[in-house]
Amino acid sequence: MRSFAIALTLGILWLQQQASLLTSTTLITMLVVAGGLLLCVFKLHLPYLRRAAALLAAALIGIAWADWRAELALQTALPEVLEGRDLMVTGVVASLPGVNVNGSSFQLDVETLSEFKPAQTSAAQAPLPGQDRLPSRISLFWPAKAGATQSLKAGQRWRLPVRLKRPHGNQNPGGFDAELWMLEQGVRATGTIQTAQSAAIQPLQDFVPGVLYAVDRCRGWLRERIHAALPGKPYAAVVVALVIGDQREIRQTEWNIFQRSGIGHLISISGLHITMLAGFFAALMGALWRRSFFIFHARPLPLILPVQKVMAATAAVVAVLYVALAGFGVPAQRTMYMLLTVAVAIWTGRFNQFSAVLALALCVVLIIDPWALMWPGFWLSFVAVAVILYVARDEAIGSLDADSDWRARLRRNWHAALRTQYGITLGLLPLTMLLFAQISLISPLANAFAIPLVSFLITPLVLIGVFLPEPFCGWLLSLAHAGIALMAELLAWLSAPGWVIWTAPQPSLPMFLLAMLGVLWLLGPRALPMRWLGLVCLLPVLMPRPSAIGEAAFRATALDVGQGTAVLIQTRQHTLLYDTGPAYGPDSDAGSRVILPFLRAQGIRKLDRMLISHQDTDHSGGAASILAQMTVDEVISSLPEQHALRQSARPHSACVAGQSWQWDGVTFEMLQPTAASYASEKWKPNARSCTLKISTPQLSVLLPGDAEAIQEDEMLHMLPEKLPATVLLAPHHGSATSSTAAFLQAVHPELIVIQSGYLNRYHHPKPVVLERYRAFGINHLRTDEAGAIQLDFEASLHISEYRKQHARYWYGQ
């Protein structure tokens, strides 16, 4: 079973790395071969050949299953011809809406989708292209009107005018893959409700019967009850996360503390909480069942039904109910499937080895959700359980001769707990570095007190309190909130020093496998010789690696941040970040969601300089997050003196034409703005964009920010000799107010890189500008089409597009 599960996993994993799905012919051939191999399993007499045939068949079955599921999921993507058109959708709110000051976001189960004419208040009946393959679920955003958000509840039926687009997300190394997440969730289009057409917005039914709708409606009621009991409390969002698993309201500053201290897995309905709660109720039911507590009967209940089966059934029921509170979120479902598999194994009398049951649970999870293995939580949860089994083998053997003295038992349990914590910390280290390129050095200490506090005190308090009537509800939730606040203050103090996070570049696959071998050696039997060699195998994944960038060369990475600018410049020993991308919401920005994960994946621990070209939020929106979470030696900007970022950034200097410096044989020159522009009040922020040219003896790049036609003309007359460049970052994202013909002729670039959002509301880059690029024979690349664009300026220019280098079948689908 264990070998079969591993082979099935490898087959599914292989399919999820492919740029395209299999053809029908290939798929049928693969299934025929798998069937033939399974027949060979029964016919072959040599055990090694039988095992090899079974494993190969399992891998082929995994590939075929994942391919078939992917084909079904991709069939209902929004047709490209419907993007940006006015549509009328009728459907049911299918998720717990997320609410902030900008509006409400939610998923909608689509019932009808048709053309919408703004002059009408009802949907036109003209059929849409691809009517038989339209998305069954979409994700919508309802913008707030005059600061008031719409009160939405799960299960409501609405008719709404919308504009939709196909699933699309930012694609960067080390970043979150939103397109894969939407595919797994069944969301095949995203869009915005057209609030300008308010007459067409119609509520049709307050509640549509349905189990999942009812669950989410109850979750919404619980969220409202928590906020009513904890009005204005800073950690009310954490209580909400522990009760219903909704983490969207937790502020980024709080998440930073939890992640830096390594306890982020506790702030949700996690697998640990589900398992512990299920285990508690199973133990309670087992104790009552042993004593025949429920009925007075001549025949004891354990003789009617074994205690183990009652405990397994109780744990399974509790797990399902608790996962329902989480809205059947995918991470919580994995734990539920594992517990249900254990329960079935116990009821059928096939629970002989826990490792075999774990392998069966692995198969169940992947059959239900073949995309699960693309997420860190999948690997962390299964590997953690495997490590616990591996570490606990000595305790299991030793327990057979256990001393009955309570002090000896306590001592033994304490040693077992310490060894388990040590094993998990060490066992997950290579995987953590592979997935996140960093580890929290205080994680063992923080988890030592946070796990019992959250799991045995805070979580029971909030789960009991939220269902009690007032005033008991308020008392218990307030007590739990006080515990969270105390824990957060302690964690903030522990995680404040910069050294608590150890960062290194993401290891290669051979380095990771070597580190895992070292972990197995270190955690192996006590009699194993030279166990210290395991530490040697671990060192490569923890150590910084020499820069691959040579002298007098540099790398520029134009990150895919949506409608905004963020370019990382790396020389041999220095890093500079030019702009920090946009702010996506009140507590979400490109700094925390794109730039910092990218920097960690590269093993970059600090920035030598951060240059903010101007104050527009699509260029400065991520700066605060970066300053809060990473060391920045110096900030250069054109921000006004009273700007909050300028006040918080120390040291800070204004960018002025004429500034220059050299790093590792690479020259940096500031071309704009002039010192006189700061004294004038007539200029918009765009006019003061810090324009930076970076040059080697052979190649160069020009970064003009949002410079417009006037500034381009100024540079043409003031320093025309400085303008020629190999690569040009499109001024103002390809706006029609920039990229004049004279400027393009003076720069004469080989390539123009455009940083813009997919189907952005400004319609950047403008068609007239793209036509101008083509007229001059200039190639261009766009981050909304290519993802992150890496440019290596060496003896010649080397270009890498993330969506091509990391192609997956769901991109653009």
Side-chain angles (χ1 to χ4, degrees):
M1 186 65 211
R2 291 177 289 267
S3 300
F4 180 90
I6 293 172
L8 182 77
T9 302
L10 291 175
I12 294 175
L13 182 61
W14 180 86
L15 191 280
Q16 306 300 6
Q17 309 301 313
Q18 302 310 303
S20 59
L21 294 176
L22 306 175
T23 63
S24 300
T25 303
T26 304
L27 184 61
I28 293 172
T29 302
M30 192 172 289
L31 289 173
V32 170
V33 171
L37 289 170
L38 289 176
L39 287 176
C40 292
V41 170
F42 298 101
K43 298 293 183 180
L44 292 173
H45 298 291
L46 294 175
Y48 293 110
L49 289 178
R50 291 177 60 187
R51 180 177 289 271
L55 294 182
L56 183 56
L60 293 176
I61 290 170
I63 293 171
W65 175 256
D67 182 89
W68 179 69
R69 288 290 303 276
E71 288 279 7
L72 292 180
L74 293 177
Q75 282 180 0
T76 57
L78 183 77
E80 193 171 353
V81 295
L82 296 182
E83 287 187 306
R85 287 170 60 174
D86 290 320
L87 303 172
M88 180 68 84
V89 62
T90 301
V92 182
V93 178
S95 67
L96 181 66
V99 182
N100 59 46
V101 295
N102 292 333
S104 304
S105 56
F106 60 98
Q107 293 179 10
L108 190 82
D109 281 343
V110 177
E111 295 175 328
T112 64
L113 187 65
S114 54
E115 195 79 37
F116 172 64
K117 305 299 182 182
Q120 302 173 356
T121 59
S122 61
Q125 298 303 313
L128 294 175
Q131 186 75 46
D132 57 332
R133 298 173 60 236
L134 293 176
S136 57
R137 176 168 288 195
I138 60 178
S139 178
L140 293 176
F141 177 68
W142 193 324
K145 189 174 182 180
T149 57
Q150 179 65 38
S151 178
L152 286 168
K153 295 181 179 179
Q156 291 178 332
R157 176 179 281 128
W158 287 81
R159 178 177 291 131
L160 302 164
V162 297
R163 283 183 186 168
L164 300 177
K165 58 185 178 182
R166 294 159 68 86
H168 191 278
N170 302 329
Q171 295 295 340
N172 300 278
F176 177 73
D177 193 337
E179 292 176 47
L180 173 60
W181 180 85
M182 285 186 276
L183 180 69
E184 183 183 33
Q185 295 287 319
V187 174
R188 306 311 301 136
T190 64
T192 303
I193 295 171
Q194 302 302 296
T195 54
Q197 308 296 333
S198 57
I201 298 175
Q202 299 178 31
L204 301 179
Q205 189 174 344
D206 184 63
F207 182 72
V208 176
V211 174
L212 295 182
Y213 300 152
V215 167
D216 280 327
R217 178 67 69 94
C218 292
R219 295 174 70 227
W221 174 78
L222 290 173
R223 183 173 65 179
E224 293 172 1
R225 197 151 196 260
I226 293 169
H227 284 302
L230 302 172
K233 297 289 186 180
Y235 298 102
V238 177
V239 176
V240 170
L242 291 174
V243 174
I244 64 171
D246 185 7
Q247 303 173 337
R248 290 173 293 183
E249 297 178 359
I250 299 178
R251 295 172 298 183
Q252 188 62 47
T253 52
E254 294 160 4
W255 265 124
N256 293 342
I257 293 172
F258 299 144
Q259 297 293 351
R260 285 178 65 82
S261 54
I263 67 138
H265 62 100
L266 295 176
I267 312 302
S268 65
I269 298 182
S270 65
L272 176 64
H273 293 159
I274 296 169
T275 304
M276 285 188 168
L277 192 70
F280 170 78
F281 278 98
L284 177 62
M285 182 63 75
L288 295 175
W289 196 264
R290 284 190 184 94
R291 292 161 178 79
S292 298
F293 183 83
F294 302 100
I295 59 172
F296 297 99
H297 196 276
R299 190 180 183 193
L301 291 178
L303 296 180
I304 300 174
L305 189 63
V307 174
Q308 291 83 357
K309 290 188 176 183
V310 173
M311 293 176 66
T314 302
V317 170
V318 170
V320 171
L321 292 176
Y322 198 24
V323 171
L325 276 180
F328 292 100
V330 173
Q333 283 186 42
R334 287 196 292 267
T335 304
M336 181 183 71
Y337 298 146
M338 290 174 68
L339 290 174
L340 289 176
T341 303
V342 171
V344 171
I346 291 175
W347 271 77
T348 56
R350 297 187 177 275
F351 193 101
N352 49 4
Q353 286 187 316
F354 193 86
S355 58
V357 176
L358 181 65
L360 179 59
L362 176 65
C363 295
V364 170
V365 169
L366 292 179
I367 289 170
I368 295 174
D369 180 12
W371 299 281
L373 48 62
M374 300 302 293
W375 304 110
F378 170 87
W379 295 102
L380 291 172
S381 57
F382 276 100
V383 172
V385 175
V387 168
I388 291 172
L389 293 176
Y390 186 66
V391 169
R393 66 196 179 284
D394 291 335
E395 282 73 13
I397 295 170
S399 63
L400 297 175
D401 305 320
D403 196 328
S404 59
D405 180 62
W406 69 269
R407 284 168 295 192
R409 288 199 303 271
L410 181 63
R411 196 163 46 246
R412 186 174 61 251
N413 291 337
W414 173 253
H415 290 159
L418 287 178
R419 180 169 173 79
T420 300
Q421 180 64 42
Y422 160 75
I424 290 177
T425 301
L426 200 60
L428 293 182
L429 191 150
L431 186 60
T432 303
M433 293 302 299
L434 179 69
L435 297 173
F436 306 113
Q438 66 174 20
I439 56 171
S440 172
L441 298 180
I442 63 169
S443 175
L445 175 61
N447 278 281
F449 69 83
I451 287 177
L453 179 63
V454 174
S455 300
F456 298 119
L457 180 61
I458 293 174
T459 301
L461 280 176
V462 298
L463 288 176
I464 295 171
V466 77
F467 291 105
L468 291 179
E470 291 292 353
F472 304 105
C473 172
W475 293 346
L476 291 184
L477 291 184
S478 296
L479 182 60
H481 183 275
I484 295 170
L486 181 63
M487 179 185 71
E489 288 183 15
L490 181 56
L491 291 175
W493 177 75
L494 284 174
S495 63
W499 55 264
V500 302
I501 296 295
W502 181 267
T503 303
Q506 282 184 318
S508 62
L509 183 60
M511 290 172 61
F512 168 72
L513 294 176
L514 178 65
M516 288 302 298
L517 178 63
V519 165
L520 294 175
W521 194 270
L522 275 171
L523 299 178
R526 295 185 180 96
L528 199 65
M530 302 177 66
R531 291 168 65 193
W532 56 270
L533 284 176
L535 287 175
V536 178
C537 297
L538 272 175
L539 287 178
V541 303
L542 296 173
M543 292 295 100
R545 291 187 277 285
S547 173
I549 303 171
E551 190 71 17
F554 69 95
R555 173 177 296 161
T557 306
L559 295 170
D560 182 10
V561 293
Q563 184 63 22
T565 296
V567 182
L568 183 74
I569 307 296
Q570 297 170 267
T571 66
R572 186 174 181 81
Q573 297 182 4
H574 296 84
T575 54
L576 177 145
L577 180 63
Y578 181 88
D579 280 339
T580 61
Y584 302 128
D587 205 33
S588 175
D589 56 61
S592 59
R593 287 177 52 182
V594 175
I595 299 172
L596 285 169
F598 174 76
L599 294 177
R600 291 171 188 141
Q602 301 299 309
I604 297 172
R605 303 183 181 186
K606 76 178 186 70
L607 296 172
D608 295 286
R609 283 182 182 165
M610 183 164 71
L611 198 159
I612 304 173
S613 65
H614 62 295
Q615 70 184 61
D616 285 359
T617 55
D618 57 335
H619 294 252
S620 64
S625 293
I626 295 170
L627 289 170
Q629 300 182 56
M630 178 165 282
T631 301
V632 180
D633 288 346
E634 182 183 6
V635 176
I636 302 175
S637 77
S638 63
L639 299 172
E641 290 187 11
Q642 68 276 14
H643 198 283
L645 284 174
R646 182 161 178 171
Q647 297 300 316
S648 62
R650 293 289 183 268
H652 175 277
S653 59
C655 61
V656 180
Q659 293 171 330
S660 66
W661 67 92
Q662 277 205 346
W663 283 343
D664 308 315
V666 179
T667 302
F668 295 75
E669 301 174 275
M670 200 74 68
L671 308 186
Q672 279 276 2
T674 61
S677 67
Y678 287 101
S680 173
E681 297 183 357
K682 71 175 184 177
W683 299 113
K684 298 186 301 181
N686 286 356
R688 294 196 185 95
S689 289
C690 304
T691 299
L692 182 67
K693 184 178 181 182
I694 308 168
S695 309
T696 69
Q698 297 87 17
L699 306 170
S700 59
V701 62
L702 183 62
L703 309 175
D706 278 358
E708 297 187 343
I710 295 176
Q711 287 71 51
E712 292 178 354
D713 187 63
E714 283 181 355
M715 287 187 280
L716 276 169
H717 288 87
M718 293 174 60
L719 31 84
E721 73 285 356
K722 299 285 188 182
L723 290 182
T726 314
V727 176
L728 171 67
L729 184 69
H732 203 174
H733 318 287
S735 165
T737 61
S738 307
S739 296
T740 60
F743 182 74
L744 293 176
Q745 192 169 12
V747 177
H748 192 60
E750 297 176 11
L751 174 70
I752 291 180
V753 174
I754 306 169
Q755 286 187 295
S756 59
Y758 181 70
L759 295 181
N760 62 86
R761 61 193 178 103
Y762 304 103
H763 305 291
H764 292 161
K766 295 289 187 179
V768 64
V769 173
L770 294 178
E771 182 56 40
R772 198 176 299 153
Y773 295 162
R774 284 189 284 269
F776 278 94
I778 306 171
N779 295 324
H780 71 269
L781 290 174
R782 301 168 50 163
T783 54
D784 59 339
E785 296 176 347
I789 301 170
Q790 180 178 298
L791 308 169
D792 286 303
F793 294 79
E794 298 170 335
S796 58
L797 180 64
H798 301 279
I799 304 169
S800 174
E801 303 171 48
Y802 185 76
R803 283 183 181 264
K804 284 186 178 179
Q805 298 296 322
H806 189 260
R808 296 293 182 266
Y809 65 82
W810 57 82
Y811 286 173
Q813 297 294 321

